[in-house]
Amino acid sequence: MNRLFGAKSSAPKPTLNSAISNVDGRIESIDVKLSKLNAELTTYQQRLAKMRDGPGKSAIKQKALKVLQQRKMYESQRDQLQQQSWNMEQAGMMQDNLKNTMTTVDAMKTTTKELKKQYGKVNIDKIEKLQDEMADLMDMGNDIQESISRSYDVPEDVDEAELDAELEALGEEVELNGIGESEGVPAFMVDETNKIPDFVDEPPEQGKVKEAAGFKSICDLLGFLSKSVNCTSAFPTKRIGKHRTKQHRQAVQTRGIYHGLPVFPENLEGLTAIVTGANGISGQHMLRVLAQNPQRWKKIYCLSRRPPAIPGGLPNHAEHIPLDFLKKPSEIAEVLKQHNVKADHVFFYSYIQIDPKEGAGLWSNAEEMSKVNTELLTNFLESLPLADIKPKRIMLQTGAKYYGIHIGPSSTPNEEDDPRVLIEPNFYYPQQDYLSQYCQKHGIGWNEARPSFILGAVPDAAMNLCYPLALYATICKRLGEPLRYPGDLVAWEAQQDQSSAMLNGYLEEWMVLADHVANEAFNAADDSAFTWGKFWPKLADWYGIEYTRPDPDAKYNEIKTRNETPRGFGPPATIRYTFLLTEWAKRPEVDKAWKEIAHEYDLTERELRDVDRIFPFTDLALTMPVALNFSMNKARKRGWHGFVDSSECILEVFEDFVKLKMLPPVPKVNVKFA
């Protein structure tokens, strides 16, 4: 019979909770698919808005309609599943209410029996007698207090006007005798406004007494409060937009060339972090920042295809896990679970530079850049719940392209609430949208950081401003040539904010640990005034060589940016240059000089490789004819005070490249900083 009808199943029957969990899991799966469809639909909508009518627009419209149909199908399935889940939850609530009711009734019966038993032992007559005795004792106590508090021999007919006259006469007598200047003045009447505190060892300099009450002197006097404190600043209570700041003192510290860094509470410890793209310029320096405090960050997971190149190796509390975020979320999650990864905070830096279109600029293949880099983020985020990872905060780093500076002149200063530039696809926008939606769905906080040209040293020097500069100065010195500036006077004098990779890391650590800045984007800049006109002489001094300024009579090559500008009005910019470093690096004498230098100092790169991949980024920075001014007002108002001299940072980055055996030692013939 069993062969015909089967044996009776011994498996446990499904419960209501397990059924609800299964349905909720299917809903979450559909939500992930809907999020990807919404991001894809947004991209199509932006492209349709900018295209003229024709076959191309019709094809894009058909793709958008197919995506829309898929979204409607998934939304219908989700609605049905949500209704099923709600029905099962109602049934579960009714079942729970019935159980609670039966428990309540049993408890009331038991309590009633106990109350009857206890009240049977109480004698109300004895309680009333006790109350009467206590009232008598209280009356007796009041009589005693009234008796011993009577006044003795105090006249009751004193005239108040006479007392006022006597007080006024006493004041005149004080003025006449110069009581305020005598040595016998009581301590409580002495004005100590200008008195130097007892803990100051040295007497004040002549004419400097008033300055002791100033901000700097107060900071110096308060320095004894903490070894890490350089200064403390008080902020009055005021309203800034919808944010209200309370009066408080804020401790800051200095680490090497980096000043005004936050001081975190000592009890903030035992945190874990994920750093993606850990072998890149930003991820590696974020690792260096977190590794400075192993008590606060007990474990750092470095996720990247290649391990970070840290001189001396990874810190003991850091672990590299090789991962490719272009793989499926389930595959990524499996690797994370194998390594038992947990994270309080996530720092996302993963990025892929797509090859540009033939003969076009570095970011010309905008559509492919947007597709690939958005996929990096979505695959990683979708893997987190599959690996049971729910961080408190996720930090996404984007950059200056958010403001369209790679397209043409943008509105300056660049502020975080500037409108998006929709001239072409920009992967920063779908990344930001997806991150916000994901975090809202899962109850997680997020932050976004937007740096300018990033200053840092890593083995892969692509899109690195500093490495080509150091190569240029090194080879010019070997060839006995002056340090020629390639741009024109406009680029020479244009304000250009730089972003130290280390200072970015300090800022981004503060962002994720500060509760009051959750779900906000911040610019990330050194807040240091920087122009090529001021930096170029410094660079020449470090190497002990001559330099040239822009020659107004020179013959310049010209490139105009697009007619449609990111700022939305006005003419395009004109980039003018006499030569490019990319062209200079291909000269035979330059290649020969570098081979000699590399052999002499046993450097890792014996030839100038990947010239077209490494040098164009620096060419862009050197010839940029528009200001790049990142406003740090928002971060400062929230309590961030970090600062570094960008020129000083560039020199430190050069020396980091020396440690990586990518550059010979910097001569440092003449080094001066304010």
Side-chain angles (χ1 to χ4, degrees), residues 37-74:
L37 290 175
N38 287 334
E40 187 176 352
L41 194 59
T42 301
T43 303
Y44 286 139
Q45 289 173 332
Q46 292 174 351
R47 293 173 61 184
L48 286 170
K50 294 180 290 183
M51 296 178 67
R52 297 179 180 178
D53 293 336
K57 186 172 183 179
S58 299
I60 297 299
K61 187 175 181 180
Q62 289 300 320
K63 292 180 180 180
L65 289 174
K66 288 182 179 179
V67 172
L68 192 59
Q69 290 175 350
Q70 292 178 19
R71 189 178 74 173
K72 288 184 176 295
M73 180 189 69
Y74 282 127

mmCIF file of all heavy atoms in Angstrom, residues 37-74:
data_model
loop_
_atom_site.group_PDB
_atom_site.id
_atom_site.type_symbol
_atom_site.label_atom_id
_atom_site.label_comp_id
_atom_site.label_asym_id
_atom_site.label_seq_id
_atom_site.Cartn_x
_atom_site.Cartn_y
_atom_site.Cartn_z
ATOM 1 N N LEU A 37 15.308 47.547 -11.592
ATOM 2 C CA LEU A 37 14.506 48.028 -12.723
ATOM 3 C C LEU A 37 14.282 49.536 -12.633
ATOM 4 O O LEU A 37 14.307 50.237 -13.648
ATOM 5 C CB LEU A 37 13.166 47.292 -12.753
ATOM 6 C CG LEU A 37 13.224 45.789 -13.138
ATOM 7 C CD1 LEU A 37 11.853 45.162 -13.008
ATOM 8 C CD2 LEU A 37 13.751 45.622 -14.566
ATOM 9 N N ASN A 38 14.044 50.055 -11.408
ATOM 10 C CA ASN A 38 13.845 51.495 -11.241
ATOM 11 C C ASN A 38 15.092 52.275 -11.626
ATOM 12 O O ASN A 38 15.018 53.328 -12.263
ATOM 13 C CB ASN A 38 13.463 51.810 -9.792
ATOM 14 C CG ASN A 38 12.042 51.391 -9.474
ATOM 15 O OD1 ASN A 38 11.201 51.310 -10.366
ATOM 16 N ND2 ASN A 38 11.758 51.109 -8.211
ATOM 17 N N ALA A 39 16.262 51.755 -11.217
ATOM 18 C CA ALA A 39 17.512 52.433 -11.576
ATOM 19 C C ALA A 39 17.700 52.432 -13.089
ATOM 20 O O ALA A 39 18.107 53.434 -13.684
ATOM 21 C CB ALA A 39 18.692 51.754 -10.887
ATOM 22 N N GLU A 40 17.381 51.288 -13.722
ATOM 23 C CA GLU A 40 17.525 51.189 -15.180
ATOM 24 C C GLU A 40 16.530 52.118 -15.879
ATOM 25 O O GLU A 40 16.859 52.792 -16.854
ATOM 26 C CB GLU A 40 17.291 49.735 -15.609
ATOM 27 C CG GLU A 40 17.584 49.484 -17.086
ATOM 28 C CD GLU A 40 17.434 48.009 -17.443
ATOM 29 O OE1 GLU A 40 17.250 47.188 -16.513
ATOM 30 O OE2 GLU A 40 17.491 47.682 -18.649
ATOM 31 N N LEU A 41 15.297 52.186 -15.331
ATOM 32 C CA LEU A 41 14.267 53.044 -15.918
ATOM 33 C C LEU A 41 14.642 54.516 -15.797
ATOM 34 O O LEU A 41 14.413 55.310 -16.712
ATOM 35 C CB LEU A 41 12.925 52.768 -15.229
ATOM 36 C CG LEU A 41 11.663 53.317 -15.918
ATOM 37 C CD1 LEU A 41 11.540 52.739 -17.327
ATOM 38 C CD2 LEU A 41 10.425 52.956 -15.100
ATOM 39 N N THR A 42 15.245 54.899 -14.648
ATOM 40 C CA THR A 42 15.687 56.284 -14.465
ATOM 41 C C THR A 42 16.728 56.671 -15.505
ATOM 42 O O THR A 42 16.703 57.775 -16.067
ATOM 43 C CB THR A 42 16.273 56.460 -13.059
ATOM 44 O OG1 THR A 42 15.275 56.135 -12.086
ATOM 45 C CG2 THR A 42 16.732 57.897 -12.831
ATOM 46 N N THR A 43 17.652 55.759 -15.781
ATOM 47 C CA THR A 43 18.680 56.017 -16.807
ATOM 48 C C THR A 43 18.045 56.236 -18.178
ATOM 49 O O THR A 43 18.399 57.162 -18.904
ATOM 50 C CB THR A 43 19.669 54.845 -16.869
ATOM 51 O OG1 THR A 43 20.251 54.648 -15.580
ATOM 52 C CG2 THR A 43 20.769 55.120 -17.879
ATOM 53 N N TYR A 44 17.067 55.364 -18.525
ATOM 54 C CA TYR A 44 16.392 55.530 -19.816
ATOM 55 C C TYR A 44 15.644 56.863 -19.886
ATOM 56 O O TYR A 44 15.649 57.539 -20.919
ATOM 57 C CB TYR A 44 15.424 54.377 -20.048
ATOM 58 C CG TYR A 44 16.093 53.067 -20.395
ATOM 59 C CD1 TYR A 44 15.648 51.852 -19.866
ATOM 60 C CD2 TYR A 44 17.181 53.026 -21.273
ATOM 61 C CE1 TYR A 44 16.262 50.650 -20.189
ATOM 62 C CE2 TYR A 44 17.801 51.827 -21.595
ATOM 63 C CZ TYR A 44 17.342 50.642 -21.052
ATOM 64 O OH TYR A 44 17.945 49.460 -21.358
ATOM 65 N N GLN A 45 14.980 57.249 -18.782
ATOM 66 C CA GLN A 45 14.229 58.505 -18.765
ATOM 67 C C GLN A 45 15.153 59.700 -18.984
ATOM 68 O O GLN A 45 14.825 60.638 -19.717
ATOM 69 C CB GLN A 45 13.482 58.649 -17.439
ATOM 70 C CG GLN A 45 12.305 57.693 -17.304
ATOM 71 C CD GLN A 45 11.678 57.736 -15.930
ATOM 72 O OE1 GLN A 45 12.349 58.034 -14.947
ATOM 73 N NE2 GLN A 45 10.399 57.446 -15.848
ATOM 74 N N GLN A 46 16.324 59.670 -18.327
ATOM 75 C CA GLN A 46 17.264 60.774 -18.498
ATOM 76 C C GLN A 46 17.756 60.856 -19.936
ATOM 77 O O GLN A 46 17.912 61.946 -20.498
ATOM 78 C CB GLN A 46 18.443 60.598 -17.549
ATOM 79 C CG GLN A 46 18.074 60.752 -16.080
ATOM 80 C CD GLN A 46 19.235 60.437 -15.158
ATOM 81 O OE1 GLN A 46 20.265 59.955 -15.608
ATOM 82 N NE2 GLN A 46 19.054 60.691 -13.869
ATOM 83 N N ARG A 47 18.016 59.700 -20.545
ATOM 84 C CA ARG A 47 18.496 59.699 -21.927
ATOM 85 C C ARG A 47 17.413 60.150 -22.896
ATOM 86 O O ARG A 47 17.681 60.894 -23.843
ATOM 87 C CB ARG A 47 18.988 58.297 -22.290
ATOM 88 C CG ARG A 47 20.246 57.878 -21.517
ATOM 89 C CD ARG A 47 20.619 56.426 -21.750
ATOM 90 N NE ARG A 47 20.909 56.161 -23.157
ATOM 91 C CZ ARG A 47 21.181 54.930 -23.636
ATOM 92 N NH1 ARG A 47 21.203 53.886 -22.824
ATOM 93 N NH2 ARG A 47 21.436 54.754 -24.923
ATOM 94 N N LEU A 48 16.155 59.727 -22.658
ATOM 95 C CA LEU A 48 15.053 60.138 -23.528
ATOM 96 C C LEU A 48 14.834 61.640 -23.482
ATOM 97 O O LEU A 48 14.499 62.269 -24.491
ATOM 98 C CB LEU A 48 13.765 59.405 -23.122
ATOM 99 C CG LEU A 48 13.694 57.914 -23.512
ATOM 100 C CD1 LEU A 48 12.495 57.260 -22.850
ATOM 101 C CD2 LEU A 48 13.597 57.769 -25.036
ATOM 102 N N ALA A 49 15.019 62.231 -22.281
ATOM 103 C CA ALA A 49 14.784 63.669 -22.124
ATOM 104 C C ALA A 49 15.764 64.493 -22.942
ATOM 105 O O ALA A 49 15.483 65.636 -23.301
ATOM 106 C CB ALA A 49 14.878 64.049 -20.650
ATOM 107 N N LYS A 50 16.945 63.901 -23.220
ATOM 108 C CA LYS A 50 17.979 64.661 -23.926
ATOM 109 C C LYS A 50 18.050 64.321 -25.421
ATOM 110 O O LYS A 50 18.777 64.977 -26.157
ATOM 111 C CB LYS A 50 19.339 64.387 -23.285
ATOM 112 C CG LYS A 50 19.461 64.896 -21.860
ATOM 113 C CD LYS A 50 20.818 64.607 -21.275
ATOM 114 C CE LYS A 50 20.999 63.141 -21.020
ATOM 115 N NZ LYS A 50 22.299 62.824 -20.381
ATOM 116 N N MET A 51 17.311 63.308 -25.885
ATOM 117 C CA MET A 51 17.410 62.857 -27.280
ATOM 118 C C MET A 51 16.323 63.496 -28.147
ATOM 119 O O MET A 51 15.221 63.827 -27.677
ATOM 120 C CB MET A 51 17.294 61.330 -27.344
ATOM 121 C CG MET A 51 18.438 60.580 -26.648
ATOM 122 S SD MET A 51 18.237 58.790 -26.694
ATOM 123 C CE MET A 51 18.426 58.470 -28.444
ATOM 124 N N ARG A 52 16.679 63.684 -29.390
ATOM 125 C CA ARG A 52 15.703 64.151 -30.360
ATOM 126 C C ARG A 52 14.895 62.967 -30.890
ATOM 127 O O ARG A 52 15.313 61.819 -30.818
ATOM 128 C CB ARG A 52 16.412 64.848 -31.516
ATOM 129 C CG ARG A 52 17.181 66.108 -31.089
ATOM 130 C CD ARG A 52 17.861 66.726 -32.285
ATOM 131 N NE ARG A 52 18.591 67.935 -31.899
ATOM 132 C CZ ARG A 52 19.315 68.662 -32.753
ATOM 133 N NH1 ARG A 52 19.412 68.276 -34.030
ATOM 134 N NH2 ARG A 52 19.947 69.738 -32.333
ATOM 135 N N ASP A 53 13.728 63.291 -31.467
ATOM 136 C CA ASP A 53 12.900 62.238 -32.043
ATOM 137 C C ASP A 53 13.632 61.561 -33.196
ATOM 138 O O ASP A 53 14.296 62.226 -34.014
ATOM 139 C CB ASP A 53 11.578 62.814 -32.535
ATOM 140 C CG ASP A 53 10.724 63.310 -31.377
ATOM 141 O OD1 ASP A 53 10.940 62.801 -30.257
ATOM 142 O OD2 ASP A 53 9.865 64.187 -31.582
ATOM 143 N N GLY A 54 13.504 60.257 -33.269
ATOM 144 C CA GLY A 54 14.166 59.507 -34.334
ATOM 145 C C GLY A 54 14.256 58.042 -33.970
ATOM 146 O O GLY A 54 13.748 57.594 -32.924
ATOM 147 N N PRO A 55 14.914 57.259 -34.801
ATOM 148 C CA PRO A 55 15.031 55.796 -34.540
ATOM 149 C C PRO A 55 15.724 55.494 -33.222
ATOM 150 O O PRO A 55 15.348 54.575 -32.510
ATOM 151 C CB PRO A 55 15.850 55.292 -35.740
ATOM 152 C CG PRO A 55 15.702 56.339 -36.791
ATOM 153 C CD PRO A 55 15.526 57.644 -36.093
ATOM 154 N N GLY A 56 16.776 56.278 -32.903
ATOM 155 C CA GLY A 56 17.505 56.028 -31.656
ATOM 156 C C GLY A 56 16.613 56.204 -30.439
ATOM 157 O O GLY A 56 16.610 55.386 -29.517
ATOM 158 N N LYS A 57 15.833 57.292 -30.469
ATOM 159 C CA LYS A 57 14.942 57.548 -29.329
ATOM 160 C C LYS A 57 13.856 56.487 -29.246
ATOM 161 O O LYS A 57 13.457 56.052 -28.156
ATOM 162 C CB LYS A 57 14.335 58.934 -29.456
ATOM 163 C CG LYS A 57 13.504 59.353 -28.259
ATOM 164 C CD LYS A 57 13.083 60.807 -28.354
ATOM 165 C CE LYS A 57 12.308 61.221 -27.102
ATOM 166 N NZ LYS A 57 11.916 62.648 -27.155
ATOM 167 N N SER A 58 13.349 56.045 -30.401
ATOM 168 C CA SER A 58 12.305 55.006 -30.404
ATOM 169 C C SER A 58 12.832 53.704 -29.815
ATOM 170 O O SER A 58 12.139 53.014 -29.067
ATOM 171 C CB SER A 58 11.810 54.779 -31.838
ATOM 172 O OG SER A 58 11.248 55.966 -32.373
ATOM 173 N N ALA A 59 14.077 53.372 -30.160
ATOM 174 C CA ALA A 59 14.654 52.131 -29.626
ATOM 175 C C ALA A 59 14.798 52.195 -28.116
ATOM 176 O O ALA A 59 14.487 51.240 -27.400
ATOM 177 C CB ALA A 59 16.020 51.875 -30.282
ATOM 178 N N ILE A 60 15.272 53.346 -27.630
ATOM 179 C CA ILE A 60 15.399 53.509 -26.174
ATOM 180 C C ILE A 60 14.030 53.455 -25.510
ATOM 181 O O ILE A 60 13.850 52.867 -24.429
ATOM 182 C CB ILE A 60 16.107 54.839 -25.859
ATOM 183 C CG1 ILE A 60 17.528 54.848 -26.399
ATOM 184 C CG2 ILE A 60 16.133 55.083 -24.355
ATOM 185 C CD1 ILE A 60 18.423 53.783 -25.812
ATOM 186 N N LYS A 61 13.028 54.054 -26.189
ATOM 187 C CA LYS A 61 11.675 54.062 -25.617
ATOM 188 C C LYS A 61 11.122 52.648 -25.511
ATOM 189 O O LYS A 61 10.457 52.288 -24.528
ATOM 190 C CB LYS A 61 10.776 54.932 -26.490
ATOM 191 C CG LYS A 61 9.387 55.158 -25.910
ATOM 192 C CD LYS A 61 8.584 56.131 -26.765
ATOM 193 C CE LYS A 61 7.203 56.378 -26.169
ATOM 194 N NZ LYS A 61 6.419 57.321 -26.995
ATOM 195 N N GLN A 62 11.392 51.804 -26.531
ATOM 196 C CA GLN A 62 10.927 50.415 -26.481
ATOM 197 C C GLN A 62 11.569 49.656 -25.321
ATOM 198 O O GLN A 62 10.921 48.886 -24.620
ATOM 199 C CB GLN A 62 11.260 49.724 -27.811
ATOM 200 C CG GLN A 62 10.417 50.197 -28.988
ATOM 201 C CD GLN A 62 8.926 49.955 -28.770
ATOM 202 O OE1 GLN A 62 8.526 48.918 -28.251
ATOM 203 N NE2 GLN A 62 8.104 50.937 -29.142
ATOM 204 N N LYS A 63 12.884 49.921 -25.108
ATOM 205 C CA LYS A 63 13.552 49.284 -23.967
ATOM 206 C C LYS A 63 12.924 49.728 -22.652
ATOM 207 O O LYS A 63 12.719 48.931 -21.739
ATOM 208 C CB LYS A 63 15.039 49.619 -23.972
ATOM 209 C CG LYS A 63 15.808 48.999 -25.120
ATOM 210 C CD LYS A 63 17.296 49.378 -25.046
ATOM 211 C CE LYS A 63 18.085 48.771 -26.200
ATOM 212 N NZ LYS A 63 19.520 49.148 -26.131
ATOM 213 N N ALA A 64 12.635 51.028 -22.572
ATOM 214 C CA ALA A 64 12.027 51.558 -21.342
ATOM 215 C C ALA A 64 10.656 50.942 -21.101
ATOM 216 O O ALA A 64 10.286 50.627 -19.966
ATOM 217 C CB ALA A 64 11.935 53.073 -21.417
ATOM 218 N N LEU A 65 9.872 50.753 -22.194
ATOM 219 C CA LEU A 65 8.528 50.167 -22.047
ATOM 220 C C LEU A 65 8.617 48.716 -21.563
ATOM 221 O O LEU A 65 7.810 48.270 -20.739
ATOM 222 C CB LEU A 65 7.788 50.236 -23.383
ATOM 223 C CG LEU A 65 7.348 51.648 -23.833
ATOM 224 C CD1 LEU A 65 6.764 51.599 -25.239
ATOM 225 C CD2 LEU A 65 6.334 52.230 -22.847
ATOM 226 N N LYS A 66 9.610 47.977 -22.079
ATOM 227 C CA LYS A 66 9.776 46.589 -21.621
ATOM 228 C C LYS A 66 10.128 46.549 -20.136
ATOM 229 O O LYS A 66 9.612 45.729 -19.383
ATOM 230 C CB LYS A 66 10.873 45.900 -22.440
ATOM 231 C CG LYS A 66 10.467 45.596 -23.871
ATOM 232 C CD LYS A 66 11.584 44.857 -24.615
ATOM 233 C CE LYS A 66 11.168 44.539 -26.048
ATOM 234 N NZ LYS A 66 12.236 43.836 -26.799
ATOM 235 N N VAL A 67 11.018 47.450 -19.729
ATOM 236 C CA VAL A 67 11.373 47.510 -18.302
ATOM 237 C C VAL A 67 10.153 47.874 -17.474
ATOM 238 O O VAL A 67 9.925 47.330 -16.380
ATOM 239 C CB VAL A 67 12.510 48.530 -18.085
ATOM 240 C CG1 VAL A 67 12.758 48.745 -16.597
ATOM 241 C CG2 VAL A 67 13.783 48.061 -18.761
ATOM 242 N N LEU A 68 9.325 48.794 -18.006
ATOM 243 C CA LEU A 68 8.114 49.211 -17.288
ATOM 244 C C LEU A 68 7.146 48.059 -17.145
ATOM 245 O O LEU A 68 6.510 47.875 -16.091
ATOM 246 C CB LEU A 68 7.475 50.380 -18.036
ATOM 247 C CG LEU A 68 6.368 51.147 -17.300
ATOM 248 C CD1 LEU A 68 6.898 51.730 -16.007
ATOM 249 C CD2 LEU A 68 5.805 52.242 -18.191
ATOM 250 N N GLN A 69 6.997 47.230 -18.215
ATOM 251 C CA GLN A 69 6.119 46.059 -18.134
ATOM 252 C C GLN A 69 6.609 45.074 -17.077
ATOM 253 O O GLN A 69 5.828 44.525 -16.298
ATOM 254 C CB GLN A 69 6.056 45.377 -19.504
ATOM 255 C CG GLN A 69 5.296 46.180 -20.563
ATOM 256 C CD GLN A 69 5.363 45.532 -21.937
ATOM 257 O OE1 GLN A 69 6.126 44.595 -22.130
ATOM 258 N NE2 GLN A 69 4.570 46.028 -22.879
ATOM 259 N N GLN A 70 7.925 44.849 -17.067
ATOM 260 C CA GLN A 70 8.488 43.947 -16.048
ATOM 261 C C GLN A 70 8.208 44.488 -14.650
ATOM 262 O O GLN A 70 7.881 43.738 -13.735
ATOM 263 C CB GLN A 70 9.988 43.794 -16.266
ATOM 264 C CG GLN A 70 10.357 43.059 -17.534
ATOM 265 C CD GLN A 70 11.863 42.968 -17.725
ATOM 266 O OE1 GLN A 70 12.613 43.126 -16.778
ATOM 267 N NE2 GLN A 70 12.310 42.712 -18.946
ATOM 268 N N ARG A 71 8.358 45.809 -14.484
ATOM 269 C CA ARG A 71 8.127 46.382 -13.158
ATOM 270 C C ARG A 71 6.682 46.186 -12.719
ATOM 271 O O ARG A 71 6.402 45.862 -11.559
ATOM 272 C CB ARG A 71 8.477 47.873 -13.174
ATOM 273 C CG ARG A 71 8.474 48.495 -11.793
ATOM 274 C CD ARG A 71 8.870 49.939 -11.817
ATOM 275 N NE ARG A 71 7.791 50.777 -12.367
ATOM 276 C CZ ARG A 71 7.826 52.114 -12.382
ATOM 277 N NH1 ARG A 71 8.869 52.754 -11.897
ATOM 278 N NH2 ARG A 71 6.829 52.801 -12.894
ATOM 279 N N LYS A 72 5.730 46.385 -13.672
ATOM 280 C CA LYS A 72 4.316 46.204 -13.314
ATOM 281 C C LYS A 72 4.027 44.756 -12.916
ATOM 282 O O LYS A 72 3.268 44.496 -11.981
ATOM 283 C CB LYS A 72 3.429 46.630 -14.490
ATOM 284 C CG LYS A 72 3.380 48.140 -14.735
ATOM 285 C CD LYS A 72 2.409 48.481 -15.843
ATOM 286 C CE LYS A 72 2.285 49.979 -16.008
ATOM 287 N NZ LYS A 72 1.680 50.599 -14.812
ATOM 288 N N MET A 73 4.642 43.813 -13.641
ATOM 289 C CA MET A 73 4.439 42.397 -13.318
ATOM 290 C C MET A 73 4.950 42.096 -11.911
ATOM 291 O O MET A 73 4.262 41.467 -11.105
ATOM 292 C CB MET A 73 5.162 41.531 -14.345
ATOM 293 C CG MET A 73 5.012 40.026 -14.088
ATOM 294 S SD MET A 73 6.085 39.050 -15.163
ATOM 295 C CE MET A 73 7.682 39.478 -14.468
ATOM 296 N N TYR A 74 6.182 42.581 -11.611
ATOM 297 C CA TYR A 74 6.744 42.333 -10.287
ATOM 298 C C TYR A 74 5.938 43.045 -9.205
ATOM 299 O O TYR A 74 5.760 42.517 -8.092
ATOM 300 C CB TYR A 74 8.204 42.793 -10.240
ATOM 301 C CG TYR A 74 9.163 41.833 -10.891
ATOM 302 C CD1 TYR A 74 10.049 42.272 -11.886
ATOM 303 C CD2 TYR A 74 9.209 40.497 -10.517
ATOM 304 C CE1 TYR A 74 10.932 41.392 -12.493
ATOM 305 C CE2 TYR A 74 10.097 39.617 -11.117
ATOM 306 C CZ TYR A 74 10.955 40.066 -12.109
ATOM 307 O OH TYR A 74 11.833 39.199 -12.689
#
